Amino acid sequence: MQEPSSIIIAGSTGLIGHHLLNFALKNDEVQHVYSLTRRPLEEVSSKLIQIVSSELAIDKESLKESIPRIGFIALGTTIKQAGSKEALKAIDVSLVVDVAQSMRDIGVECIYVVSCIGASSSALSHYLKCKGEMEEKVTAIGFKNVTFMQPGPLSGTRAETRSDETLLQGIMKLFHPLMRGFLLNYKPIHGELVAQSMLDLALHNSETNGCYRYTSRDMFALVNK
């Protein structure tokens, strides 16, 4: 990348999004960071421009500094948090797609979205089916470059503890020595590593066209180059 870029992040209060925000604020290749959140952030930086909206709507008046060409979406929930399958779909599909469309409308050309390993619109799991439907709808919006990050079990400190993830992380640690090749996709991956991979890909692969997917195995390889 030849010139500093402006980016926009939706979901910068979550596990991956918060790491992504901090990486971006420290990176000299990033000129401005627009943060789209429901509540104000504590971070202070001359690079940071906060867009606070309960509906995660983008206020175009906030984009006077520059138009972000790269967008990141790190939004998602679980059935336990959402309360029902319908509520989960409203966030993991409808909200993500609406935010992606809003980003395209303001000029974002390349978008990076947190999804999940196994995402498929034909999956039996409601969670994976929602992720698959989201991927299909975001791809259809018409970005120059669409990249889905498909991590397996996430590790790291969240603002809200997810007991199912904590249990799975504990079980998977027992199998770490056996996890090679394709099985690396199911090795717990830290949210920080996912965020680092997203930003690195965005800053150095922005000229590519098409739809791409990166699993945990791919992300482990990226950071170990």
Side-chain angles (χ1 to χ4, degrees):
M1 188 185 66
Q2 300 298 317
E3 298 179 358
S5 290
S6 292
I7 69 173
I8 183 168
I9 304 171
S12 50
T13 58
L15 174 62
I16 295 173
H18 191 252
H19 284 300
L20 179 59
L21 174 70
N22 288 330
F23 282 137
L25 292 176
K26 296 173 184 176
N27 194 304
D28 292 337
E29 295 182 79
V30 179
Q31 182 181 26
H32 296 110
V33 180
Y34 295 96
S35 175
L36 179 62
T37 58
R38 290 191 176 92
R39 60 181 187 275
L41 302 174
E42 296 180 356
E43 281 76 10
V44 177
S45 170
S46 58
K47 285 186 180 184
L48 180 61
I49 302 169
Q50 298 196 43
I51 305 173
V52 181
S53 166
S54 60
E55 303 298 323
L56 294 185
I58 301 174
D59 177 11
K60 294 184 179 180
E61 290 298 311
S62 302
L63 307 176
K64 292 181 178 179
E65 293 292 338
S66 61
I67 299 298
R69 300 301 180 189
I70 301 173
F72 299 91
I73 300 180
L75 299 168
T77 186
T78 63
I79 289 181
K80 182 177 180 180
Q81 288 179 314
S84 67
K85 289 184 176 181
E86 293 74 17
L88 182 143
K89 186 173 183 177
I91 295 173
D92 279 25
V93 181
S94 301
L95 179 60
V96 171
V97 173
D98 287 348
V99 170
Q101 182 64 64
S102 296
M103 288 186 178
R104 186 71 191 94
D105 291 343
I106 63 170
V108 169
E109 299 174 349
C110 305
I111 193 165
Y112 296 77
V113 185
V114 177
S115 183
C116 180
I117 185 72
S120 171
S121 58
S122 60
L124 296 178
S125 160
H126 180 72
Y127 178 78
L128 296 179
K129 184 175 182 178
C130 284
K131 292 295 187 186
E133 290 179 4
M134 175 274 291
E135 289 191 7
E136 291 178 359
K137 291 182 178 181
V138 171
T139 301
I141 289 175
F143 291 96
K144 182 180 81 170
N145 177 311
V146 180
T147 300
F148 296 106
M149 311 305 289
Q150 296 185 327
L154 290 172
S155 63
T157 304
R158 293 183 181 272
E160 299 174 340
T161 300
R162 293 184 179 179
S163 58
D164 53 345
E165 282 188 353
T166 301
L167 176 61
L168 184 57
Q169 290 164 22
I171 294 173
M172 297 308 289
K173 283 181 180 180
L174 299 175
F175 296 94
H176 275 197
L178 304 175
M179 304 189 86
R180 294 183 174 85
F182 179 76
L183 289 177
L184 283 173
N185 288 329
Y186 300 93
K187 177 180 178 179
I189 185 169
H190 202 289
E192 184 175 8
L193 191 151
V194 179
Q196 180 183 342
S197 299
M198 290 177 78
L199 187 62
D200 287 349
L201 287 169
L203 296 179
H204 303 120
N205 289 2
S206 61
E207 298 307 315
T208 59
N209 297 317
C211 180
Y212 305 90
R213 289 173 174 82
Y214 287 83
T215 64
S216 293
R217 181 183 180 183
D218 300 322
M219 288 180 260
F220 285 128
L222 281 173
V223 298
N224 289 324
K225 278 186 178 180

